[in-house]
Amino acid sequence: MTRVTRVARGEGSGPLGAVPDARAEPSGPAGVAPAAAARGTTPAAAAGAELRAEGPAAGAELRAEGWGWRHAGRAEWAVRGLDLTIAPGERVLLLGASGAGKSTLVHAFAGVLGGSDEGEQEGSLTVGGRLPADSRGLTGLVLQDPDSQVALARIGDDIAFGCENLGVPRDEIWRRVDEAMEAVGLDLPLDRPTSALSGGQKQRVALAGVLAMRPEVVLLDEPTANLDPAGVAEVRDAVAAVVRSSNSTFVVIEHRVDVWLDVVDRVIVLDPGGGVLADGDPATVLRERGAELARGGVWVPGFDPLQGRPARQAAAAPAPAAATDARPTLLATADLAVGRTPAAVAARGLDLDVARASALALTGPNGAGKSTLALTIAGLLEPLGGTLRARPALTGDPVPAAAEAVPPAADSDVPVAEGPRARADERRHRREVRRARRRGGTHGRALGEHPFAWPSRELLTRIGTVFQDPEHQFVTGTVRGELEVALRALRLDAAEIDARVTEVAGRLRLDGLLTANPYTLSGGEKRRLSVASVLVARPAVLVLDEPTFGQDSRTWAELVRLLGEQLDRGTAVVAVTHDRAFIEALADRELEVRPAEGSGA
Amino acid sequence: MSVLTPVRGSGRIYAVNPVAKLAASLLLSLFLLVTVDWVSALVALVLESVLFVWAGLGARAFFRRTAAIWIAAPLAGVTTVLYGLPSGVAYFEFGLIHVTEGSVQLALASALRILAIGLPAVVLFATIDPTDLADGLAQVVKLPSRFVLGALAALRLVGLFLDDWRQLELARRARGIGDTGRLRRFLNQAFALLVLSLRRGSKLATAMEARGFGGSTVRTWARPSRFGAGDWMLVLIGLAIGAVALGTSIATGSVNFVLG
Amino acid sequence: MHSTISKPAAAAATRPRPTLKWRVVDIVIASVIGVAAGLIFWVWNLTYSPFSAGLEAVLPGLQSAIGGVWLFAGVLGGLIIRKPGAAIYTELVAATVSALVGTQWGVLTLEAGLVQGLGAELVFALFLYGNYRAYVAVLAGAGAGLAMGINDIVLWYPALGGDFKTIYVIAAVVGASIVAGLLSWLIVRALASTGALNRFAAGREVTAREASARA
């Protein structure tokens, strides 16, 4: 159930093309809401009318005067000397390089920065003329991480949560919950577990929870940064519909400008040095400040983060088919089935091979098993069916060793047989893998062709894995420690360890951070560290799970360049991704993974 | 997915307020606590086993969920046989070990008592939905709602913790330290999980605060938690089983009070 | 308290007088610690038996030394949150979670959590919620251990001899001082270095110390 396509690089709409409008779920026709509201006949429109009728005013004014905030225990100010007025009902996109204090400002308007023990404030900040702490419930805030902002276990309860806290009477709460769900295009039972929702749905639940409070101000702090393109479109459309039907003041932080350009009527750019860098209508601000913003990591339409230079040298000349085949194959699968547990097959019938200096993109809808496939290829999960075989070019085993490991089907290049014989082969294959895994260390013996059976240490130089969440990979208390982990496991001598750490840290701009605790790094730094700590062992195959997820354009370009270099050096790259620009910049081939039938995923 | 996923169904037990289940279990336990004798424990166990049939758990689920108790009870018995208060005929003595007629009787009583206290609690708790429990604790028992809801919200993170744990495990193998000392790896992973959970907790707190949680307004409840006749019935049943068990024990003269 | 000594404004701003009122983040983080600890308790409930039996074979009553694992939640909560009731609340949440999953002590798991949390809480209260050094953590662990020891011999080991009970209580106190007390204190320090406790005085103290050590 897969489709492999060759990626023609340099075609298509470029890295900054429009957000795809493919939607993952049939349940969320978020786009319906605006149309319906325009007709003025649906409950969604009625909700909008009621919002206007009942709200004390159209929206509240946001004002900062000489405002600044310094988190307790920090030397430098997160924001300082800020003068800003956002009129009632304005729709604002708040931009700025990372570290400019966008998030701090929005949290301050929402009244959730904490008291005087958590930081020092100067100047004044008001919402509709009141202190933010006194306007709880009048400002609603949606955060970035879909998983961390759902408070309760059932959809209805979670949307009702804000109303309950504000003391809204029971009947009124459920009326508001229904309206809010309608407004964000959620058509799901109220008792559906929130844990069963997709990222886009969770964000819409969060938005609905905010709307149900009937806020005068809606603040969104990178609401789509952790979503795939379908989820981004879902949430953007829901917000657009809401914005059209209500008159609340609306502020969104986002580093992908194109997502919100049609929704906002004003762009404010914060200066990392303090104050406002630019402020005005979107077209003017982007025309005058676009280049500067792009340099600071903001995704500005029309600005290519790679600045027109190809990421791969080899990519300059499209490789003829014959040349591709000349690259030795490192890993190959036949009719592979993958899943987290034997009971839950996520995808099956996967045929692919990973060759030196080639880049394979794994794409497909959410829950299709892309990540599971990547982790299986990486030798971390056991294949649930079919075969995954490492070739001598990867194992370094003498060639006959491979044949010895599979006594009956001596020639592993022969495609797998069909029918019952294939299933018997499959079972035998799995038994072998298990047995090899139990044997543990290689002790000078051949490694064998099943990556899942290799000792942990043997993976390092062969298949390196970069996880979606860098924090899952951290095992020490310093950046230097992280970079050394693999090298120590490989038992390299101190001089070699030092040389490699210095090289990789320099290449990935981590040299100033070597004594820092990995958890305290910024998002981009964490991503760079997670890649560096894998590259330091020089793996032949690099497996990455959504490496560009939520990254600003600067980190994105750095990553793409780095992976391009690796490919030029002969490393094979396998990446799970939803990122079109990434695929166009790097991939030779794309494998679209479709969920296994009856997997329920 | 989650170990805290309650057993769901349509039986009457699912409609019972979790507070009633808690109260019944508590009352029953209090009666059994005051004495260590095999009569009260056995009577309670027999009466309880009649109720287990209606508890909404199949036989397999019952034994899977109560496995720890079936192990713990005999172990406690062995401890009591060896080190229990000696009385009557001495069968065996060595150092601190005194196996006597009395200690064997006490051992039997201790093991039965653990079963009689533990089994009904597991059976009753298995069908508790944490959301309903929180509703009940805050609305019926009137515990402070901020704390009850904070705990409930944190409980929702369990599923994420389990996902994190699996990823952490795979990542350690990928990083070349998957085969090193098991205890060290466990501690390393447990620490990483704690960091991740505190991060999530901080974000959750911000999200909840932004939705007016913890403010000075008196909160309303979207869903009422009702405590009706059926709930009182279950509490009475718990009370009755405990009373009958203790009464039988006193009547037969086998009662053995813990204090005094 | 600090009315007589005037400090430079900057220093006063970074170290304001701690409030004893619970913030939302205090409640949520205490709950998260409680839930995570509850899951660890659950794993421990399934695995402790052989260890316990082994210790008992060495010296009857000694098994309570490893009971400290059940006590770390309260001490950890108290050390991080630094508010009245934090130790009791965290330990109680942990006990509730493990009881919901299923334990052999049934509803009395909650009672145990309450009593054990109280043991640690009293120690923090004794220091007026103003001292969270290592020795206070060890004492809080010991307090929880003492509470556990007494509670257990009254409710669960009434039928056992006096020697057993004495050994049981002493081992509980010693074990808990180390496992629940010292270990929790070390965990707090390590957590603070990751920045995960930045919204807490417990975290900011450590990071400030580390920053000045680097400078």
Side-chain angles (χ1 to χ4, degrees):
Chain A
M1 294 297 288
T2 57
R3 191 161 57 83
V4 183
T5 45
R6 278 182 192 281
V7 177
R9 262 193 308 282
E11 287 177 20
S13 55
L16 295 158
V19 179
D21 58 2
R23 296 199 181 91
E25 300 83 11
S27 61
V32 171
R39 261 183 277 121
T41 50
T42 63
E50 220 172 292
L51 278 173
R52 278 189 295 276
E54 281 191 13
E61 179 197 68
L62 300 177
R63 183 188 286 271
E65 282 172 353
W67 188 76
W69 179 268
R70 178 164 71 174
H71 293 283
R74 300 275 176 82
E76 67 290 353
W77 292 75
V79 182
R80 194 159 208 193
L82 184 69
D83 290 293
L84 186 67
T85 306
I86 296 173
E90 257 189 314
R91 289 88 168 79
V92 175
L93 174 61
L94 191 59
L95 294 175
S98 68
K102 309 181 288 287
S103 208
T104 306
L105 178 63
V106 161
H107 278 64
F109 278 128
V112 293
L113 264 189
S116 59
D117 55 334
E118 290 193 55
E120 185 185 349
Q121 179 176 260
E122 60 177 25
S124 80
L125 192 84
T126 55
V127 175
R130 289 168 300 244
L131 289 175
D134 302 333
S135 14
R136 283 237 185 110
L138 296 176
T139 51
L141 174 66
V142 176
L143 300 165
Q144 179 178 344
D145 182 2
D147 287 327
S148 302
Q149 58 180 321
V150 180
L152 298 174
R154 303 173 192 158
I155 293 181
D157 292 5
D158 192 66
I159 297 175
F161 182 69
C163 295
E164 293 181 314
N165 293 328
L166 298 177
V168 176
R170 183 171 298 151
D171 298 343
E172 170 72 9
I173 290 178
W174 290 113
R175 213 167 37 240
R176 290 194 189 186
V177 168
D178 286 344
E179 285 168 11
M181 284 182 72
E182 188 102 35
V184 300
L186 277 175
D187 183 18
L188 295 168
L190 290 175
D191 65 349
R192 170 75 57 91
T194 42
S195 56
L197 302 177
S198 71
Q201 287 174 325
K202 279 181 189 155
Q203 290 299 72
R204 283 189 285 152
V205 167
L207 180 64
V210 162
L211 294 179
M213 300 195 305
R214 303 260 164 89
E216 294 175 9
V217 181
V218 176
L219 306 165
L220 310 175
D221 187 356
E222 304 206 37
T224 59
N226 283 20
L227 303 179
D228 60 34
V232 171
E234 228 176 82
V235 172
R236 193 261 326 269
D237 290 351
V239 171
V242 167
V243 160
R244 247 164 289 179
S245 64
S246 92
N247 287 330
S248 327
T249 312
F250 168 83
V251 179
V252 60
I253 301 177
E254 184 66 68
H255 55 223
R256 302 197 79 108
V257 173
D258 56 342
V259 176
W260 298 105
L261 218 45
D262 296 340
V263 182
V264 298
D265 49 31
R266 178 178 171 193
V267 172
I268 297 173
V269 184
L270 292 191
D271 186 347
V276 172
L277 197 66
D279 185 353
D281 70 283
T284 314
V285 171
L286 291 184
R287 194 174 56 242
E288 288 172 1
R289 300 286 182 167
E292 196 176 337
L293 285 169
R295 272 199 305 280
V298 177
W299 289 90
V300 184
F303 285 87
D304 174 7
L306 295 172
Q307 291 160 339
R309 286 188 289 141
R312 293 172 68 176
Q313 298 302 316
T324 314
D325 295 337
R327 301 169 183 161
T329 300
L330 302 174
L331 283 163
T333 75
D335 195 32
L336 181 69
V338 299
R340 295 267 172 178
T341 59
V345 174
R348 60 173 92 244
L350 300 157
D351 294 290
L352 60 89
D353 57 85
V354 177
R356 249 176 77 83
S358 75
L360 170 66
L362 303 178
T363 61
N366 274 329
K370 301 183 298 291
S371 296
T372 314
L373 171 60
L375 294 173
T376 308
I377 293 173
L380 304 177
L381 292 176
E382 187 179 7
L384 296 185
T387 58
L388 165 70
R389 292 202 160 106
R391 297 299 169 80
L394 180 63
T395 58
D397 287 347
V399 178
E404 172 225 61
V406 208
D411 188 357
S412 54
D413 282 328
V414 172
V416 279
E418 311 262 323
R421 223 195 98 206
R423 270 191 290 280
D425 279 353
E426 207 169 87
R427 278 196 296 275
R428 192 178 55 239
H429 179 81
R430 285 184 61 186
R431 273 199 304 277
E432 274 164 29
V433 172
R434 290 231 184 84
R435 216 174 295 138
R437 178 87 185 253
R438 273 199 299 274
R439 277 201 304 268
T442 50
H443 302 297
R445 269 184 283 118
L447 201 52
E449 55 181 6
H450 311 302
F452 181 71
W454 298 347
S456 168
R457 189 163 63 89
E458 301 293 342
L459 282 171
L460 289 170
T461 54
R462 294 179 176 83
I463 314 175
T465 311
V466 177
F467 284 72
Q468 182 173 334
D469 184 346
E471 293 190 354
H472 284 141
Q473 274 178 261
F474 295 157
V475 295
T476 72
T478 63
V479 169
R480 175 181 283 280
E482 288 300 318
L483 295 175
E484 287 178 351
V485 166
L487 304 175
R488 288 187 192 285
L490 290 170
R491 295 177 198 135
L492 300 181
D493 62 63
E496 174 71 9
I497 290 180
D498 229 44
R500 287 212 199 176
V501 167
T502 310
E503 182 204 328
V504 170
R507 174 65 190 81
L508 281 160
R509 291 193 296 119
L510 294 166
D511 29 12
L513 300 166
L514 288 175
T515 58
N517 189 301
Y519 288 104
T520 60
L521 303 180
S522 74
E525 288 164 350
K526 278 182 190 158
R527 172 50 79 214
R528 297 207 303 270
L529 175 59
S530 71
V531 175
S533 64
V534 171
L535 285 184
V536 78
R538 300 184 184 154
V541 180
L542 193 55
V543 177
L544 308 104
D545 192 355
E546 301 276 14
T548 57
F549 217 51
Q551 297 300 329
D552 65 22
S553 66
R554 216 172 134 201
T555 309
W556 186 92
E558 270 181 324
L559 273 176
V560 168
R561 285 251 153 69
L562 180 77
L563 294 177
E565 266 171 38
Q566 292 295 318
L567 282 162
D568 289 340
R569 277 189 210 163
T571 309
V573 171
V574 178
V576 173
T577 187
H578 284 106
D579 182 345
R580 272 292 127 202
F582 179 86
I583 294 171
E584 276 154 20
L586 290 174
D588 302 296
R589 285 170 307 149
E590 178 179 345
L591 177 75
E592 194 181 337
V593 185
R594 298 241 153 248
E597 277 156 49
S599 72
Chain B
M1 183 185 75
S2 158
V3 287
L4 287 161
T5 309
V7 180
R8 282 175 184 276
S10 53
R12 292 196 63 170
I13 193 74
Y14 301 99
V16 174
N17 195 310
V19 172
K21 295 177 185 173
L22 220 58
S25 168
L26 188 65
L27 286 170
L28 170 59
S29 303
L30 286 179
F31 279 103
L32 295 176
L33 267 186
V34 299
T35 172
V36 187
D37 69 278
W38 65 272
V39 175
S40 62
L42 191 63
V43 170
L45 211 47
V46 169
L47 292 173
E48 287 162 5
S49 59
V50 178
L51 285 177
F52 292 162
V53 181
W54 290 308
L57 277 181
R60 266 190 65 186
F62 174 79
F63 283 106
R64 192 165 45 82
R65 287 192 180 244
T66 56
I69 303 176
W70 293 106
I71 297 167
L75 276 177
V78 171
T79 300
T80 316
V81 166
L82 299 178
Y83 314 113
L85 290 170
S87 67
V89 185
Y91 301 121
F92 178 78
E93 298 211 355
F94 179 80
L96 287 163
I97 300 176
H98 307 275
V99 181
T100 62
E101 197 183 342
S103 74
V104 171
Q105 265 193 24
L106 283 173
L108 182 66
S110 297
L112 288 174
R113 183 167 170 256
I114 286 180
L115 291 178
I117 290 175
L119 292 180
V122 171
V123 169
L124 286 172
F125 290 4
T127 54
I128 288 184
D129 183 323
T131 303
D132 297 334
L133 175 61
D135 279 347
L137 287 177
Q139 296 178 52
V140 177
V141 190
K142 308 276 183 209
L143 292 182
S145 63
R146 289 206 303 164
F147 288 88
V148 172
L149 287 166
L152 180 65
L155 202 58
R156 201 197 54 77
L157 297 178
V158 167
L160 298 175
F161 292 172
L162 297 180
D163 292 345
D164 277 334
W165 186 259
R166 277 180 221 120
Q167 288 296 100
L168 289 169
E169 206 152 28
L170 297 181
R172 266 126 197 94
R173 171 163 162 77
R175 301 218 52 200
I177 55 170
D179 302 328
T180 54
R182 187 177 293 189
L183 182 68
R184 238 182 90 189
R185 197 152 35 93
F186 174 84
L187 292 176
N188 181 303
Q189 236 169 283
F191 179 75
L193 185 71
L194 205 50
V195 175
L196 293 175
S197 57
L198 292 182
R199 283 283 169 77
R200 282 197 207 283
S202 299
K203 288 184 218 163
L204 178 63
T206 301
M208 289 172 75
E209 203 172 2
R211 284 205 259 155
F213 180 69
S216 49
T217 324
V218 178
R219 115 189 271 286
T220 47
W221 297 89
R223 199 162 358 85
S225 179
R226 295 204 171 80
F227 205 85
D231 303 307
W232 284 114
M233 184 70 93
L234 183 66
V235 176
L236 282 178
I237 290 173
L239 186 79
I241 293 178
V244 169
L246 187 60
T248 313
S249 162
I250 293 172
T252 57
S254 46
V255 74
N256 171 23
F257 287 110
V258 166
L259 299 172
Chain C
M1 266 162 83
H2 8 192
S3 54
T4 50
I5 307 160
S6 68
K7 289 178 184 169
T14 49
R15 299 206 65 183
R17 188 205 308 249
T19 158
L20 294 182
K21 196 174 171 301
W22 285 69
R23 303 166 298 164
V24 171
V25 69
D26 294 325
I27 296 173
V28 176
I29 291 294
S31 305
V32 167
I33 296 170
V35 170
L39 293 179
I40 293 172
F41 289 2
W42 168 61
V43 174
W44 183 237
N45 291 343
L46 297 176
T47 50
Y48 83 99
S49 290
F51 300 104
S52 177
L55 283 173
E56 186 182 306
V58 174
L59 184 65
L62 198 61
Q63 65 261 46
S64 67
I66 53 168
V69 174
W70 283 301
L71 308 175
F72 84 92
V75 181
L76 194 61
L79 288 177
I80 291 175
I81 309 295
R82 298 188 171 182
K83 300 283 155 78
I88 291 183
Y89 175 72
T90 313
E91 188 74 37
L92 189 58
V93 170
T96 309
V97 169
S98 66
L100 281 175
V101 183
T103 69
Q104 64 250 43
W105 307 282
V107 74
L108 295 169
T109 314
L110 307 188
E111 180 271 346
L114 200 64
V115 170
Q116 293 158 2
L118 186 66
E121 186 74 42
L122 287 176
V123 174
F124 291 126
L126 211 64
F127 288 91
L128 302 172
Y129 299 104
N131 184 343
Y132 294 92
R133 291 164 189 273
Y135 71 88
V136 179
V138 170
L139 284 176
L146 184 66
M148 175 184 78
I150 293 173
N151 186 60
D152 286 2
I153 60 169
V154 171
L155 294 189
W156 299 103
Y157 298 111
L160 294 187
D163 292 344
F164 178 97
K165 289 178 179 171
T166 312
I167 297 169
Y168 190 91
V169 174
I170 293 172
V173 171
V174 174
S177 307
I178 298 162
V179 178
L182 192 61
L183 206 63
S184 295
W185 188 79
L186 292 172
I187 292 174
V188 172
R189 278 223 320 195
L191 285 175
S193 327
T194 69
L197 300 179
N198 275 350
R199 292 196 66 187
F200 298 87
R204 291 192 295 263
E205 271 175 24
V206 174
T207 41
R209 223 176 10 248
E210 280 175 355
S212 63
R214 256 202 301 273

